[in-house]
Amino acid sequence: MTGRLPMILDVDTGIDDSLAILYACASPEIELLAVTCVAGNVPAGRVADSTRSLLELAGRGDVPVALGAERPLVKPLETTEETHGPRGIGHAELPAPTRALAEQDAADLIIDAARRCPGAVQLVTLGPMTNLALALRREPRLPSLLRGWTFMGGAFRVPGNTTPTSEWNVYVDPDAAQVCLAAWASALTVDSAVPLPLGMGLDVTERARILPVDVTRLARRAGAADADADALTDAATRMHPRGTVRANPLLEFIVHALRFYFEFHARYDGFYGAFIHDPFVVAGAIDRVLVEVRPLFVDVEVGSGLAHGMTIADWRGITGHAPNVAVAVEGDAAAFLDRLIDRIGGLAGGR
Ligand code: RIB
Ligand code: CA
């Protein structure tokens, strides 16, 4: 071990998943062991292609990428190309990946990594929790074998973003979310040393907003000429890379990807910018100081009706069930955004 935190990201790339992958690549605290792919924002095959291509673009083609679940446990797959673009990377384009997929599927890769180094690996899920649910079915000891689990998912005291009550990752596969939360609840009754999963829902991730002015900051951090960086904010050239921004492949990718995301948020959330859910969760997994949590019992509604896919937290302890999630109730989005700009900007600038 290198003294760094061994981490596996499970993604449904996804524009914000892309930023999460880059944030992980740019974070010296972690050793990125692998990235596993799940169907969600776009079909799993596209997730796997974009994820491999992005890692290669970032100079991390060495990181194994495994293909996982092509559909949720029970529901038919729903995707959202409207939010993330047909390939999950907005207006950006990436060359086809050169590296092959890992031979193992996502669930087996997670299980083998946890068995190889018990108590060492931090799993961060940033999409529907289907792969983790499948892994738990094959290896029920995972909550004790992993160092911990951090997830982007749920809406605990705020409205959903997919239905009035449900957040996308949980909505796509509520059955998987229920399996995962129940597995940790069960493990905690047997072994109180199992860490509570950190659950970062929309309550905190929707405080992490990136705007064109932040992209200008990131471009400057990457070494782009001031005029080219400032052009990203100017109304006439907003979020269109030119000059030294366009000449930097990673910067160009980020700008084209985010422009699609900004256009989506302008239509549906009323601001030209984006919630960057997933990299905030990676940042929280690395540094818990960024979040304030409440240990709560959480379950998921898998039935029909308006509460379908709702994450229900027992704030008053009425059920009598022991907490199974450390639910993030506060998050330092400003500090996170500064770190994202510094780290991904530094990665793009090669320093
Ligand atoms: O609800 C936000 C989550 O759904 C993020 O992980 C985003 O990438 C989508 O997967
Ligand atoms: Ca995601």
Side-chain angles (χ1 to χ4, degrees):
M1 284 301 165
T2 59
R4 293 178 293 160
L5 171 65
M7 185 175 285
I8 294 175
L9 300 186
D10 187 74
V11 298
D12 65 331
T13 306
I15 296 167
D16 61 329
D17 302 72
S18 301
L19 293 179
I21 290 167
L22 294 177
Y23 189 91
C25 291
S27 294
E29 302 91 337
I30 65 170
E31 178 187 359
L32 186 56
L33 294 180
V35 181
T36 54
C37 302
V38 66
N41 289 322
V42 296
R46 288 193 198 143
V47 172
D49 288 347
S50 298
T51 298
R52 282 181 289 162
S53 298
L54 179 63
L55 283 166
E56 290 174 21
L57 179 64
R60 294 305 311 275
D62 61 297
V63 175
V65 175
L67 180 62
E70 310 259 5
R71 54 156 297 167
L73 292 187
V74 176
K75 291 172 70 172
L77 175 61
E78 284 185 54
T79 55
T80 181
E81 287 79 359
E82 179 188 17
T83 309
H84 293 271
R87 289 187 58 203
I89 50 176
H91 292 302
E93 292 183 357
L94 286 172
T98 61
R99 286 277 305 257
L101 284 166
E103 288 182 7
Q104 297 168 301
D105 73 1
D108 280 344
L109 186 149
I110 293 167
I111 292 166
D112 287 356
R115 284 175 177 163
R116 224 176 10 253
C117 305
V121 178
Q122 186 72 26
L123 175 66
V124 181
T125 59
L126 302 172
M129 299 157 189
T130 320
N131 287 337
L132 179 53
L134 293 171
L136 285 161
R137 284 180 174 172
R138 297 179 200 170
E139 176 50 273
R141 297 176 300 154
L142 263 184
S144 302
L145 290 174
L146 288 168
R147 176 194 180 102
W149 170 39
T150 305
F151 65 87
M152 193 283 134
F156 298 95
R157 286 193 293 197
V158 296
N161 61 0
T162 307
T163 73
T165 57
S166 189
E167 175 278 324
W168 172 258
N169 288 337
V170 175
Y171 172 79
V172 167
D173 197 343
D175 302 277
Q178 187 175 66
V179 164
C180 295
L181 293 172
W184 257 263
S186 171
L188 282 156
T189 61
V190 174
D191 178 359
S192 60
V194 170
L196 285 179
L198 169 59
M200 291 180 64
L202 299 179
D203 313 68
V204 292
T205 66
E206 287 191 342
R207 298 180 192 177
R209 294 181 178 209
I210 190 168
L211 303 171
V213 65
D214 302 309
V215 183
T216 288
R217 289 170 61 201
L218 191 153
R220 283 169 175 253
R221 172 72 176 89
D226 288 354
D228 295 333
D230 293 346
L232 296 170
T233 307
D234 297 344
T237 54
R238 192 168 65 169
M239 293 301 286
H240 282 81
R242 72 176 203 191
T244 52
V245 172
R246 188 173 178 182
N248 181 316
L250 200 47
L251 263 187
E252 183 183 37
F253 167 83
I254 292 167
V255 173
H256 282 314
L258 281 177
R259 184 172 75 255
F260 190 100
Y261 216 22
F262 287 12
E263 292 162 354
F264 173 83
H265 284 78
R267 287 197 300 276
Y268 289 96
D269 296 289
F271 72 102
Y272 189 74
F275 299 128
I276 45 175
H277 311 275
D278 292 344
F280 197 5
V281 176
V282 174
I286 293 171
D287 186 357
R288 288 289 289 266
V289 171
L290 289 173
V291 291
E292 180 186 327
V293 300
R294 279 277 301 277
L296 295 168
F297 173 71
V298 176
D299 197 354
V300 179
E301 177 55 68
V302 296
S304 60
L306 274 177
H308 174 77
M310 183 175 183
T311 43
I312 299 161
D314 183 4
W315 293 94
R316 297 175 186 265
I318 292 173
T319 64
H321 294 307
N324 59 339
V325 180
V327 174
V329 293
E330 296 294 342
D332 189 344
F336 153 66
L337 189 58
D338 287 343
R339 284 188 201 177
L340 178 127
I341 288 165
D342 180 57
R343 293 181 184 211
I344 296 183
L347 179 69
R351 57 184 188 276

